[in-house]
Amino acid sequence: MTHDEWSELLHELSRACLASIPRDSDPSPFGFGLQQLIDRYPQEPISNVAREVLARRAGYLGLPPATPAQIAREEQRLGIQLPVQYRCFLEVSNGFLLPGGAITSYLPIEQVEPLKTNYLEVAEFWRTMMDGLEEEVPDLLESRLDSTLQISGP
């Protein structure tokens, strides 16, 4: 996808998500899945957007673009080169909220970490689920768990 295609898609998705949020109900029972994100990253820009969503003041669910220098710095920190399409997404929106979904956000590149850093139990769960399976796909997945990045959140 090009930068323009990413931009168009994210603006359309933002409009659809924001339109689906009831304007007259209290989000507090589940906070559209955003409260956990706010709790985890209280001082980060993505939490500011989440607060705006909960207050019904958000006009767009994305963050400002990441610069090539930001992306390069984070690639160095993570020890990998990011896929071209993911870099393109970040150059359009360095993070994006999806309130009410199973995945509530695509994290800004500064919050991306190896899965095993903050979600060791998730990596271990997948290892346990794949133990004893003799198919090629579980072997491929297990071999990549140590290098898998957590790009969605919270």
Side-chain angles (χ1 to χ4, degrees):
M1 289 179 70
T2 67
H3 288 92
D4 288 342
E5 290 169 330
W6 270 115
S7 181
E8 183 180 330
L9 174 68
L10 293 176
H11 278 86
E12 183 179 321
L13 183 58
S14 183
R15 283 189 297 276
C17 286
L18 289 169
S20 72
I21 297 173
R23 294 282 175 198
D24 56 353
S25 67
D26 179 12
S28 60
F30 56 97
F32 303 116
L34 299 176
Q35 190 59 51
Q36 188 178 3
L37 180 75
I38 293 167
D39 293 345
R40 185 175 192 118
Y41 305 107
Q43 304 302 316
E44 299 298 331
I46 197 161
S47 290
N48 294 336
V49 176
R51 286 183 194 94
E52 291 294 306
V53 170
L54 293 177
R56 311 298 200 282
R57 293 188 303 256
Y60 179 64
L61 297 176
L63 293 168
T67 66
Q70 280 176 288
I71 294 170
R73 183 177 58 245
E74 296 305 320
E75 285 178 324
Q76 186 173 14
R77 175 181 64 87
L78 295 166
I80 64 158
Q81 185 171 356
L82 298 171
V84 172
Q85 286 299 313
Y86 183 50
R87 289 177 60 94
C88 191
F89 164 79
L90 293 169
E91 290 170 351
V92 171
S93 184
N94 186 18
F96 193 85
L97 295 180
L98 294 167
I103 295 173
T104 59
S105 68
Y106 290 99
L107 297 168
I109 189 60
E110 296 83 2
Q111 274 79 51
V112 169
E113 295 287 345
L115 181 68
K116 63 184 180 182
T117 300
N118 293 313
Y119 295 95
L120 183 59
E121 69 282 357
V122 174
E124 291 305 316
F125 168 79
W126 281 107
R127 278 196 176 82
T128 302
M129 293 298 292
M130 291 183 281
D131 277 351
L133 295 178
E134 296 183 19
E135 299 172 27
E136 197 172 308
V137 172
D139 290 341
L140 177 65
L141 290 174
E142 185 165 1
S143 71
R144 295 186 179 191
L145 275 174
D146 288 335
S147 62
T148 298
L149 296 178
Q150 179 73 32
I151 66 167
S152 60

